[in-house]
Amino acid sequence: MTTALLLFGSMALFILIGVPIAFALGAAVWSTIVFSPDFTVTVGIIAQRIFGGLESTSIMAIPFFILAGNLMTKGGISRRLVNFANCIVGNVRGGMALALVLACAFFAALSGSAPATVIAIGSMLYPEMVRMGYPKDRTAGLLVVSGGLGPIIPPSIIMVVYATITGASIGDMFSSGMFIGILIMVVLMAVVLFLANKEKWPKTRESCP
């Protein structure tokens, strides 16, 4: 009980005084380890366990995923993915919303991160879709839900971390995630088509080269 109070109390204190959440979590855990009477191990052993757990080639995939997402965003690949998706499904009513779902699926297959997918695709499509007349609430909700394809469609950062911790097969998780991700994408596109025809969303008239 004392350990739990010390952990959550120190974390709440750090957050209240303005410490960033990531540092507040680390500082709260460290304070609990140092000051809690329930811990009987030394700080040195805990540090060794932390660094020992980081010695994994699978975890090295995480910073490379983040790097790939940044490179695609800064290098213009995200815009090309959006244009490609718009060329495929953009000629029907609500086509830009369909292109958003398809572009998120493409970007998810490259970045493996939900926040990176939402930021990369949403920063381009959301203002443009609102300007074209799409409902703001529908567009924002669709963007958030479609961005959730990032951890599902492989490669996925969460799948790599989970498989590393539990010893599960990363290949098996990727195979399962591919089917589920495509199924979610198809269902989202079906919902978009239904709402687009029901609420008379705009139709993209731009032709693809």
Side-chain angles (χ1 to χ4, degrees), residues 2-85:
T2 305
T3 302
L5 291 175
L6 182 59
L7 175 63
F8 292 105
S10 59
M11 184 176 65
L13 176 62
F14 287 132
I15 293 177
L16 286 176
I17 63 177
V19 178
I21 295 178
F23 294 101
L25 289 172
V29 172
W30 190 258
S31 301
T32 304
I33 293 173
V34 173
F35 297 108
S36 176
D38 297 333
F39 281 95
T40 58
V41 296
T42 62
V43 178
I45 295 178
I46 296 174
Q48 290 177 3
R49 290 295 184 91
I50 293 175
F51 283 101
L54 293 175
E55 292 183 7
S56 174
T57 55
S58 300
I59 296 181
M60 288 301 298
I62 298 175
F64 287 113
F65 279 146
I66 299 174
L67 175 62
N70 291 331
L71 290 177
M72 286 186 290
T73 302
K74 300 298 182 181
I77 300 178
S78 302
R79 169 55 65 181
R80 292 181 175 87
L81 287 176
V82 171
N83 293 337
F84 176 68

Side-chain angles (χ1 to χ4, degrees):
M1 187 64 180
T2 305
T3 302
L5 291 175
L6 182 59
L7 175 63
F8 292 105
S10 59
M11 184 176 65
L13 176 62
F14 287 132
I15 293 177
L16 286 176
I17 63 177
V19 178
I21 295 178
F23 294 101
L25 289 172
V29 172
W30 190 258
S31 301
T32 304
I33 293 173
V34 173
F35 297 108
S36 176
D38 297 333
F39 281 95
T40 58
V41 296
T42 62
V43 178
I45 295 178
I46 296 174
Q48 290 177 3
R49 290 295 184 91
I50 293 175
F51 283 101
L54 293 175
E55 292 183 7
S56 174
T57 55
S58 300
I59 296 181
M60 288 301 298
I62 298 175
F64 287 113
F65 279 146
I66 299 174
L67 175 62
N70 291 331
L71 290 177
M72 286 186 290
T73 302
K74 300 298 182 181
I77 300 178
S78 302
R79 169 55 65 181
R80 292 181 175 87
L81 287 176
V82 171
N83 293 337
F84 176 68
N86 194 30
C87 288
I88 297 175
V89 295
N91 58 345
V92 297
R93 183 171 296 278
M96 189 64 73
L98 293 175
L100 184 148
V101 176
L102 194 59
C104 285
F106 288 154
F107 196 89
L110 297 174
S111 67
S113 171
T117 302
V118 173
I119 293 173
I121 304 300
S123 61
M124 293 182 296
L125 284 187
Y126 181 80
E128 186 175 351
M129 292 175 66
V130 172
R131 179 182 56 82
M132 293 176 61
Y134 284 85
K136 292 184 179 180
D137 53 348
R138 297 286 194 192
T139 304
L142 180 63
L143 176 62
V144 172
V145 175
S146 300
L149 293 171
I152 300 174
I153 297 180
S156 168
I157 296 176
I158 294 179
M159 289 184 183
V160 172
V161 174
Y162 177 83
T164 302
I165 295 174
T166 61
S169 172
I170 297 179
D172 292 342
M173 295 190 67
F174 281 3
S175 300
S176 302
M178 179 63 71
F179 172 76
I180 297 174
I182 293 176
L183 180 62
I184 294 175
M185 181 190 71
V186 172
V187 172
L188 285 176
M189 296 180 76
V191 173
V192 167
L193 285 174
F194 173 77
L195 292 176
N197 288 278
K198 179 181 178 181
E199 301 178 359
K200 304 301 180 183
W201 290 1
K203 180 178 180 180
T204 305
R205 295 181 174 86
E206 298 177 359
S207 58
C208 298

